[in-house]
Amino acid sequence: MNEKVITTDEDLIYWCENCNIPIIKKQGEDLTCPCCESSIKYLTTDIRPVFPEERLLIEILLNKPLEFLEKSVWASNNRYYVNGEVFSITSKHYKKYTPEEIISQLKKFAFLNKSEFFNKYIDKFIVANRNRANYLYTEACEFIKETSKDYPLENIILSFSGGKDSTVSADLAVRALSEPSLVHIFGDTTLEFPMTMEYVKRFREENRKAIFKVAKNKEQDFYKVCEDIGPPARMLRWCCSMFKTGPITRVLNNLYKDKQVLTFYGIRKCESVSRSKYNRVENSADAVKINKQTVASPIFYWKDIDIWLYILGEKIDFNDAYRLGYDRVGCWCCPNNNERAQFLSSIYMPEKSKKWQEFLISFAKKIGKPDPEIYVSSGKWKARQGGNGLESAEDVKIKFANCTAEDHAKIYQLNKSIDEWFYELFLPFGRYAPELGRKLVKERVIVDIKTNIPIISIQPFVQEGYEYSVKIKTMNVEKYDDLQRMIAYQIKKYNACRKCLKCESLCKFGAITIKYDEYHINPNKCKRCKMCVTPKYLVGGCLMDRYLKTKN
């Protein structure tokens, strides 16, 4: 499908001093305001509205409560525009008052913080940019219809996070396809903003025809996992697999089995460097986190201001966290959150924020940081890499010895006794042949799926210094080392599995399930594609290798 690029860096934000509103224009277009025909001047590349709740907070930080009540206030990151004049809010402003002092001031002026002037400017903004809104809507609807034409409606899914982007993407899909009963999947990470959960509740009440599924990992406790393998960091976001994509995969497997589905996401190119590398439609195993789906984004080329133009222009309900000043509403304690988000959480979620802060300091002490408070307050915990200082880091270290009595045989150390499900880890290599193993030594044999020739022998082993161990011999293959390397990945999974659910998400055939601390592979579903033992798709053979690997 040929992608139609609807917006580029040429789409810029201009300011009408007469109307006091932003105007979206392309470079080279007539630089006059559509409402009053006054000349407009360049302002910035993107911008968002500042709602009265956030505006009051900014005024308090500046020690000017209600100073901007009657003015048009917009923002881009830490830059605020008041009637087109810019100033910055920096970290020093966040440290000027304690959260308690700010909360007291917010309560004091709340009853005077009216929306009258805000609404007036928003109404003008919508009228002035109506042509832009119409163009965006028409193009997005055409994209949705074209992308979904080969899928039955029951195989079309709307990924619903409770954020503004997924809200718009879902609304566009329902309108474009004239189908209010599409499947919506909400991934409840257990780390959602309270405002997100309130919004999801409202959405379900207002969209009763929608098929709304909640994906939630009820088997894991976030803080207990953090205690075991450390808190998520920017490069170590195990939480995404464990609490989001993994549970969503389970819902998809339950609903669709082996069927391929089309999921409309609220991903936008301008959100981050990583997302700028995506395509508007993705279905490759390299790019898609859940391999049974093709993902597409109707709003891929939209800016922040476009999202708000659509939401406010169509009067769509949205997450109240945005009114407070949050610019993203994923997990409230995400290591990717900026300083403003952390500051806002200390005000609007003081108990949660305090608990998280105390945990981080405790963790810093646990791994031997000499200055734990500074380590946390400076944000260095977000840059943490690997499992240094953690006892659990031992679980990803493959310990083995070459067997001196047999060629191509290794004795692997395990950290627990062999359970029956241990043998299932070898099913990606072939078929279990119970008739071939030597029962006296409890040997299990795996045969090649095509030739029925034995290729792996698995035998419990007793050796001094190895409390639990297993001897694994490879045979009748051309590349013994390659096979042993993949076998080592499975040993690592057995020792280190934390039920992160990455393997479940990776398997497009639904052959892998992880329940009750056991890793199961269904021999009838497994197609021996070996994706689950290939570094290209699973670095180190197990996601825990990345999170717990240590440096000397």
Side-chain angles (χ1 to χ4, degrees), residues 379-537:
K380 289 183 178 179
W381 66 274
K382 299 178 181 181
R384 185 179 69 87
Q385 295 187 29
N388 290 74
L390 292 172
E391 183 180 339
S392 55
E394 291 297 311
D395 292 342
V396 297
K397 297 177 181 178
I398 300 298
K399 300 175 182 178
F400 70 92
N402 291 316
C403 180
T404 57
E406 296 182 79
D407 291 336
H408 309 304
K410 295 181 185 294
I411 299 166
Y412 291 96
Q413 183 176 353
L414 306 178
N415 60 9
K416 52 182 172 286
S417 60
I418 296 177
D419 286 324
E420 190 62 29
W421 65 269
F422 172 79
Y423 299 101
E424 293 181 26
L425 289 167
F426 300 89
L427 291 176
F429 309 116
R431 178 181 63 83
Y432 168 49
E435 71 279 6
L436 296 181
R438 294 169 291 171
K439 292 182 174 54
L440 190 63
V441 293
K442 299 181 180 178
E443 181 189 30
R444 303 288 182 98
V445 173
I446 300 293
V447 300
D448 184 272
I449 199 72
K450 295 179 180 178
T451 65
N452 279 328
I453 295 175
I455 56 173
I456 301 173
S457 165
I458 308 162
Q459 180 185 331
F461 198 80
V462 177
Q463 180 169 306
E464 186 177 352
Y466 282 27
E467 184 176 359
Y468 307 112
S469 57
V470 61
K471 182 173 74 173
I472 300 179
K473 179 182 178 181
T474 56
M475 47 197 162
N476 303 316
V477 295
E478 290 184 7
K479 298 180 179 179
Y480 291 96
D481 291 342
D482 287 352
L483 183 54
Q484 280 287 3
R485 184 181 66 253
M486 291 187 285
I487 287 170
Y489 292 157
Q490 300 304 76
I491 297 295
K492 188 180 297 183
K493 287 182 179 120
Y494 188 72
N495 284 340
C497 182
R498 257 66 180 183
K499 297 188 292 184
C500 76
L501 308 185
K502 174 63 176 179
C503 294
E504 281 194 21
S505 301
L506 187 65
C507 184
K508 63 176 69 176
F509 307 108
I512 300 174
T513 55
I514 302 166
K515 290 184 179 180
Y516 311 114
D517 297 323
E518 296 183 356
Y519 186 114
H520 292 287
I521 299 178
N522 187 326
N524 298 318
K525 291 184 177 181
C526 179
K527 306 299 182 184
R528 278 78 188 181
C529 68
K530 295 187 176 64
M531 283 181 67
C532 61
V533 290
T534 303
K536 178 181 178 181
Y537 304 108

Side-chain angles (χ1 to χ4, degrees), residues 283-299:
N283 58 10
S284 70
D286 297 340
V288 179
K289 293 180 180 179
I290 302 173
N291 275 330
K292 67 164 57 259
Q293 63 177 349
T294 295
V295 300
S297 179
I299 60 170

Side-chain angles (χ1 to χ4, degrees), residues 314-366:
E314 298 298 325
K315 301 190 184 306
I316 298 170
D317 187 20
F318 60 91
N319 193 320
D320 286 333
Y322 294 111
R323 298 182 186 276
L324 305 179
Y326 289 99
D327 50 16
R328 64 187 303 271
V329 292
C331 300
W332 70 268
C333 56
C334 179
N336 279 344
N337 285 348
N338 56 30
E339 188 175 15
R340 184 175 74 251
Q342 294 174 211
F343 166 71
L344 292 172
S345 292
S346 70
I347 297 169
Y348 296 109
M349 293 182 283
E351 292 181 4
K352 288 179 179 287
S353 183
K354 182 180 179 182
K355 180 181 178 181
W356 181 235
Q357 197 77 359
E358 290 174 348
F359 169 80
L360 290 175
I361 292 173
S362 172
F363 171 77
K365 293 177 180 177
K366 176 182 175 180

